[in-house]
Amino acid sequence: MDLGVRWKLHGDGRTPAPGAVVRPDERLSWPRTVGLGAQHVVAMFGASFVAPVLMGLDPNLAIMMSGVATMIFLLATRGRVPSYLGCSLSFVGVAAIIRAQGGTSATVTGAILVVGVVLFLVGLAVQRFGAHIIHAVMPPIVTGAVVMLIGFNLAPVTATVYWPQDQWTALLVMLFTGLAVVCLRGFWSRIAIFLGLIFGYGISWISDLAFGKIHSNDGSGKITDHWRLDFSGVGKADWIGLPSFHAPAFQWSAILVALPVVIALVAENAGHVKAVGEMTGQKLDDKLGTAISADGVASVLSTAVGGPPNTTYSENIGVMAATRVYSTAAYWAAAFFALLFGVCPKFGAIVAAIPGGVLGGITVILYGMIGLLGAQIWINAKVDLRNPLNLVPAAAGIIIGVGNVSMNFGKHFTLSGIALGTLVVITGYHSLRVFAPAHLKPQEPLLDEGTSSYDEEEEANAQRPTS
């Protein structure tokens, strides 16, 4: 069985030939491949370490399980889809809502584990029936609206938890990160979040030296005098040791809050497979279902031991585009680096010490970018928002999701925020489509047009007479 763990040497093993790319089944020399692996780890550092901190989960366990998840993904796709899997930011809002309802870390990981199972089943369905089933249930207007409300639902977290801890540091970090994203080029622009974190550490350290303790919200809601940057936990942490594990716990209320994120994860996977296929010149549409299922399995395994969910990382697509190296060997190297970082508690303590003001500046941009990915889905699919069939369910669902509107069904069951907003968008769109006049419901464009050619080709082959 070919597991995609053998690679041919590309050219002289030093650099890609002019106009060529290093394909997934090729590699450069091993020293260069290992270096590229380290570069992929750095590229995902910013978001992949911020996410578990925001979710209240162990960052050491997050990075360790991201390495395991990447290995699972590469084996499942037989090395055809180069990708690094890191902690998904789509669940940050879900975690915040569950904790606000009294949930623990076990409740958070339990809810996300169920999402991973559903994602795995969606992948199997796509493998069996083709990508058109995704587009039938979740056309671009629905997918874009759900991704948008998931991102914008996070705004109160920044406004009430992180930004008030140190508003001036938050402002400076926001400005620096914004400049890094816009003005830097190539690899450096891909690690703008990571650079913003480093800048924030520096500003917080200088502010502590110059102004002493700050009198502000300490993150728990209390107004106290405290240091912006507290490294006391770093000194106590060991250099080598296992991260903290815990078993998941399952509550229906938490699971219902988390389930809508499946839609965002399917959209992320479809976009990733399409982008990699276009960049490498390969038809990878037949791997869409496998990629979705692999993400589901990786998330189930991670959350089963107390880690965060994992999904494909767009930051690493940027690294591949900049280097023209799509070798899965580099991703295996990155996965091994992640495992090493995962067994270094001191490294995790440094991450856990990120000042609240720094997170405030980072999340202003990060959460907004998540929300605007929904608008990007609409633009790419040429969704017509002048059509009331598109406009009405999307508008209602987004306001419900962002405003955290609630519906009480009896004394013990409530739907609100992300869960209620998603339900309104999906059921509203399909219900209105049944009654809408014909001129308001033209054929929907596909969420990911790259999958359509594969489906059509399979159907054509099935209809050809056999000799």
Side-chain angles (χ1 to χ4, degrees):
M1 181 184 295
D2 181 14
L3 296 178
V5 292
R6 294 183 179 180
W7 303 272
K8 297 175 292 186
L9 188 66
H10 176 90
D12 61 3
R14 296 181 180 179
T15 57
V21 299
V22 179
R23 294 161 57 91
D25 61 347
E26 298 177 328
R27 64 170 176 84
L28 297 178
S29 66
W30 281 116
R32 287 175 173 78
T33 297
V34 171
L36 284 167
Q39 190 168 321
H40 279 299
V41 173
V42 172
M44 68 87 196
F45 260 5
S48 198
F49 271 110
V50 168
V53 171
L54 297 177
M55 295 170 68
L57 301 176
D58 184 351
N60 267 87
L61 183 57
I63 189 64
M64 173 187 286
M65 295 312 298
S66 76
V68 174
T70 300
M71 293 177 180
I72 291 172
F73 186 92
L74 294 174
L75 290 173
T77 58
R78 301 292 190 268
R80 288 186 58 199
V81 185
S83 180
Y84 191 96
L85 271 64
C87 181
S88 174
L89 286 163
S90 299
F91 286 96
V92 171
V94 166
I97 293 171
I98 293 173
R99 289 186 181 279
Q101 295 174 347
T104 63
S105 293
T107 313
V108 171
T109 52
I112 299 172
L113 188 152
V114 175
V115 173
V117 172
V118 174
L119 188 64
F120 170 72
L121 296 176
V122 170
L124 292 183
V126 172
Q127 286 178 273
R128 175 64 180 84
F129 301 107
H132 59 274
I133 66 166
I134 296 177
H135 310 308
V137 178
M138 300 182 297
I141 181 61
V142 170
T143 308
V146 172
V147 173
M148 188 174 290
L149 68 86
I150 286 173
F152 292 157
N153 178 267
L154 297 167
V157 177
T158 294
T160 61
V161 177
Y162 298 120
W163 192 279
Q165 292 185 48
D166 188 351
Q167 61 177 0
W168 295 112
T169 294
L171 179 63
L172 291 173
V173 170
M174 180 192 73
L175 293 174
F176 176 88
T177 306
L179 285 170
V181 172
V182 174
C183 299
L184 296 180
R185 293 290 181 268
F187 171 72
W188 294 106
S189 68
R190 303 297 174 186
I191 62 169
I193 300 297
F194 180 59
L195 296 178
L197 290 174
I198 294 175
F199 175 81
Y201 268 111
I203 290 295
S204 299
W205 178 66
I206 293 172
S207 297
D208 280 343
L209 291 178
F211 308 113
K213 292 183 178 181
I214 186 172
H215 184 74
S216 69
N217 186 330
D218 64 358
S220 66
K222 298 179 181 179
I223 305 298
T224 63
D225 291 320
H226 59 275
W227 297 110
R228 298 166 182 82
L229 186 60
D230 183 2
F231 275 144
S232 59
V234 178
K236 299 175 184 177
D238 296 327
W239 280 103
I240 298 176
L242 290 174
S244 57
F245 300 97
H246 69 257
F250 303 98
Q251 293 182 7
W252 274 112
S253 58
I255 291 170
L256 289 173
V257 169
L259 277 176
V261 180
V262 168
I263 296 175
L265 298 180
V266 170
E268 287 178 359
N269 271 275
H272 183 92
V273 171
K274 179 180 179 181
V276 173
E278 289 178 348
M279 288 189 293
T280 59
Q282 295 180 306
K283 282 191 175 183
L284 298 177
D285 305 318
D286 60 320
K287 288 297 181 183
L288 176 58
T290 304
I292 293 173
S293 292
D295 267 22
V297 170
S299 292
V300 168
L301 181 60
S302 179
T303 51
V305 296
N310 290 286
T311 189
T312 52
Y313 254 46
S314 59
E315 287 88 343
N316 299 93
I317 292 181
V319 173
M320 290 190 290
T323 60
R324 293 184 293 137
V325 178
Y326 303 92
S327 171
T328 53
Y331 282 102
W332 277 100
F336 282 115
F337 275 120
L339 291 177
L340 290 176
F341 280 122
V343 294
C344 180
K346 194 171 290 292
F347 183 76
I350 293 174
V351 176
I354 300 173
V358 176
L359 291 175
I362 294 291
T363 54
V364 163
I365 295 176
L366 209 55
Y367 293 170
M369 288 171 67
I370 295 171
L372 289 177
L373 285 175
Q376 185 177 355
I377 291 174
W378 288 346
I379 293 170
N380 291 344
K382 298 182 173 62
V383 172
D384 183 7
L385 291 178
R386 295 170 297 180
N387 184 340
L389 176 59
N390 293 331
L391 182 62
V392 172
I398 289 171
I399 290 300
I400 288 172
V402 175
N404 211 29
V405 175
S406 297
M407 287 285 293
N408 299 312
F409 300 88
K411 295 182 179 180
H412 304 292
F413 184 68
T414 301
L415 277 176
S416 62
I418 293 174
L420 182 59
T422 298
L423 186 63
V424 166
V425 173
I426 295 177
T427 60
Y429 173 80
H430 289 291
S431 299
L432 290 174
R433 189 173 176 83
V434 171
F435 299 103
H439 72 279
L440 291 182
K441 46 183 181 181
Q443 182 64 39
E444 284 284 353
L446 296 177
L447 167 66
D448 172 27
E449 294 177 357
T451 60
S452 61
S453 61
Y454 172 73
D455 292 336
E456 291 167 1
E457 186 176 308
E458 288 293 295
E459 292 172 4
N461 290 337
Q463 294 172 1
R464 288 175 186 166
T466 56
S467 55

